[in-house]
Amino acid sequence: MDEVVKVGMADWKITTHPGTLMTLGLGSCVGICIYETKKKIIGMAHVMLPDSLAVRSNSNRAKFADTAIPDMVDAMVLAGAERKNLTAKIAGGAQMFAYTSNSDIMRVGARNADASRDTLRTLRIALIADDTGGTYGRTIEFESTNGALMIKTIGHGVHYL
């Protein structure tokens, strides 16, 4: 039976096969799921903000896309993953509240998704699936067996990437 490891907000975890990573309540946050195709090592980060340099209180590196993803990848490599075999899927980044302002600061979900994509690109990890945006939350489960990402949403059902 797979071990289910819960990933909290502003957190990341890795596990080896057989295993499942799960996080609840992705609204404007983004879940970044990385799969090592040969050894079936998986990682999931639940990031809240795009950029660690934009805030003073940045001691929790797992809170930010620009630091959580590289830290998680380094841990996966230490656990035996090969960088050349890494692929990624992301979900979340919703606009949970309606704002009358067009201010970029209020677009936290879109900025989180963009920062996640940019960081993966910088690390040369192929983003093979993306379920971001919208106005609804998501709960995700990531499987080590084949890298399947299950996305559960209220009002939008369940689907797999």
Side-chain angles (χ1 to χ4, degrees):
M1 177 182 255
D2 285 1
E3 173 191 10
V4 177
V5 178
K6 291 186 179 177
V7 179
M9 185 183 294
D11 188 18
W12 61 260
K13 297 267 181 10
I14 67 168
T15 193
T16 56
H17 184 67
T20 300
L21 296 170
M22 178 184 78
T23 196
L24 304 169
L26 291 171
S28 61
C29 295
V30 172
I32 300 95
C33 301
I34 299 179
Y35 180 60
E36 204 277 358
T37 57
K38 301 288 185 208
K39 296 181 182 162
K40 299 184 178 185
I41 298 168
I42 58 174
M44 178 187 288
H46 182 144
V47 300
M48 295 174 60
L49 295 168
D51 183 5
S52 62
L53 300 177
V55 297
R56 280 189 220 137
S57 178
N58 61 5
S59 61
N60 179 1
R61 293 174 55 87
K63 186 186 286 188
F64 307 95
D66 68 326
T67 51
I69 299 168
D71 290 354
M72 182 174 68
V73 168
D74 288 347
M76 291 176 72
V77 169
L78 281 174
E82 292 186 50
R83 284 185 184 265
K84 67 180 182 178
N85 298 330
L86 299 179
T87 60
K89 299 176 180 182
I90 65 174
Q95 181 68 39
M96 296 303 291
F97 304 101
Y99 295 100
T100 56
S101 168
N102 287 332
S103 170
D104 194 48
I105 197 118
M106 303 311 285
R107 298 179 51 251
V108 177
R111 290 176 34 240
N112 283 339
D114 289 345
S116 298
R117 288 184 205 99
D118 291 345
T119 302
L120 291 167
R121 192 175 309 110
T122 298
L123 295 173
R124 297 183 181 170
I125 297 172
L127 178 61
I128 61 170
D130 183 330
D131 182 25
T132 56
T135 57
Y136 51 90
R138 297 160 173 92
T139 291
I140 60 174
E141 293 183 19
F142 191 43
E143 302 286 334
S144 67
T145 304
N146 58 7
L149 178 61
M150 179 176 62
I151 302 170
K152 299 177 188 177
T153 58
I154 295 174
H156 291 79
V158 176
H159 69 279
Y160 290 84
L161 299 179

